[in-house]
Amino acid sequence: MDTASGVGVIDKAAMVLDALEAGPTTLAQLVSATGLARPTVHRLALALVHHRLVGRDIQGRFVLGGRLVELASAAGEDRLIASAGPVLLQLRDITGESSQVFRRQGEWRVCVASAERPIGLRDTIPVGTQLSMKAGSAAQCLLAWEDHDRLLEGLHNARFTPTVLAGVRRRGWAQSLGEREPGVASVSAPVRGPSGRVIAAVSISGPIERLTRQPGRIHAEVVAKAGAQLTEALRKNAD
């Protein structure tokens, strides 16, 4: 699909914003992702920072800016969250476990939607909860498809290994056993934005006693299907 509008500066600014969809990005990574000249990328990024469409994190990397959140709110809804509700309810009802959608925000993953198991022992993760990017199947999914530099950075002090992430990429889903919290298991799958980048992870979580020590064998198919449903919903909204 031709994404060029014919207005060069707008097209280039859009390329910079698209490159930031995956998370914090250095100038060198922006240059690599966009294919634009370094001075051009630097000039565009600083102009976008001025207008709060792009921000900087504590390490000086470029991130999507607060103005985009304000504009999204003004538009009336967050497409991912709006699409997540029925998908998570269906996932919860099929698996019998609590279900969640996580987004990466800097060094954390944040629960942006959830459907709790109504009764019995459950893993409760309220919307807005910040969890580590160093442990858990959702963190594995959010990291597994990052570029090489971000991958190495994310693996520092992580509870999972490069081999684990290679398996996630090969299978298309992740599982964890007691990584985030002792006794808790989870299964996650990626959610992709219209550009094809992984922008979120959909998960189920609960006690290992119910999910067993091989939760992916039982639940991976339905969790991956939920990820595909959310990906398709975002694609349709973009069209």
Side-chain angles (χ1 to χ4, degrees):
M1 181 177 64
D2 184 8
T3 58
S5 69
V7 183
V9 68
I10 298 297
D11 293 338
K12 291 173 183 176
M15 291 171 68
V16 171
L17 293 172
D18 286 344
L20 294 176
E21 186 178 12
T25 307
T26 65
L27 179 61
Q29 289 168 336
L30 276 180
V31 171
S32 176
T34 61
L36 300 172
R38 186 182 181 94
T40 299
V41 173
H42 189 245
R43 184 173 67 254
L44 286 170
L46 292 182
L48 291 167
V49 168
H50 176 78
H51 290 287
R52 298 179 53 240
L53 296 169
V54 169
R56 307 290 285 268
D57 67 9
I58 59 174
Q59 298 179 28
R61 297 172 300 182
F62 294 100
V63 296
L64 292 175
R67 181 61 180 148
L68 294 175
V69 177
E70 296 166 1
L71 291 171
S73 297
E77 63 180 355
D78 181 307
R79 299 300 185 185
L80 175 61
I81 295 173
S83 302
V87 173
L88 290 181
L89 287 172
Q90 181 183 50
L91 185 58
R92 180 199 66 186
D93 292 345
I94 291 173
T95 63
E97 303 296 343
S98 298
S99 59
Q100 310 89 26
V101 170
F102 292 94
R103 271 184 176 143
R104 182 172 185 175
Q105 292 185 6
E107 303 306 314
W108 302 93
R109 55 184 171 100
V110 179
C111 179
V112 297
S114 68
E116 299 290 352
R117 175 184 167 93
I119 59 173
L121 185 62
R122 57 190 181 272
D123 183 35
T124 300
I125 304 176
V127 170
T129 300
Q130 288 186 325
L131 297 175
S132 172
M133 276 293 297
K134 302 297 185 181
S137 62
Q140 294 174 27
C141 280
L142 291 170
L143 186 61
W145 283 272
E146 291 279 25
D147 64 34
H148 181 70
D149 289 343
R150 286 202 191 99
L151 195 65
L152 290 180
E153 181 182 347
L155 283 166
H156 182 65
N157 291 330
R159 298 284 304 276
F160 42 79
T161 66
T163 301
V164 168
L165 295 188
V168 173
R169 290 191 297 273
R170 183 180 67 253
R171 297 188 307 262
W173 54 268
Q175 67 178 4
S176 68
L177 297 170
E179 274 187 13
R180 173 176 59 83
E181 184 176 340
V184 173
S186 66
V187 180
S188 298
V191 178
R192 297 180 182 273
S195 69
R197 293 178 180 272
V198 174
I199 63 166
V202 60
S203 305
I204 62 166
S205 58
I208 291 175
E209 287 79 2
R210 271 203 313 267
L211 272 73
T212 77
R213 300 197 67 82
Q214 292 185 311
R217 177 175 294 182
I218 303 171
H219 297 300
E221 183 176 355
V222 67
V223 175
K225 182 179 178 181
Q229 288 176 315
L230 287 173
T231 297
E232 179 63 13
L234 294 175
R235 186 192 66 78
K236 287 182 177 179
N237 279 325
D239 292 344

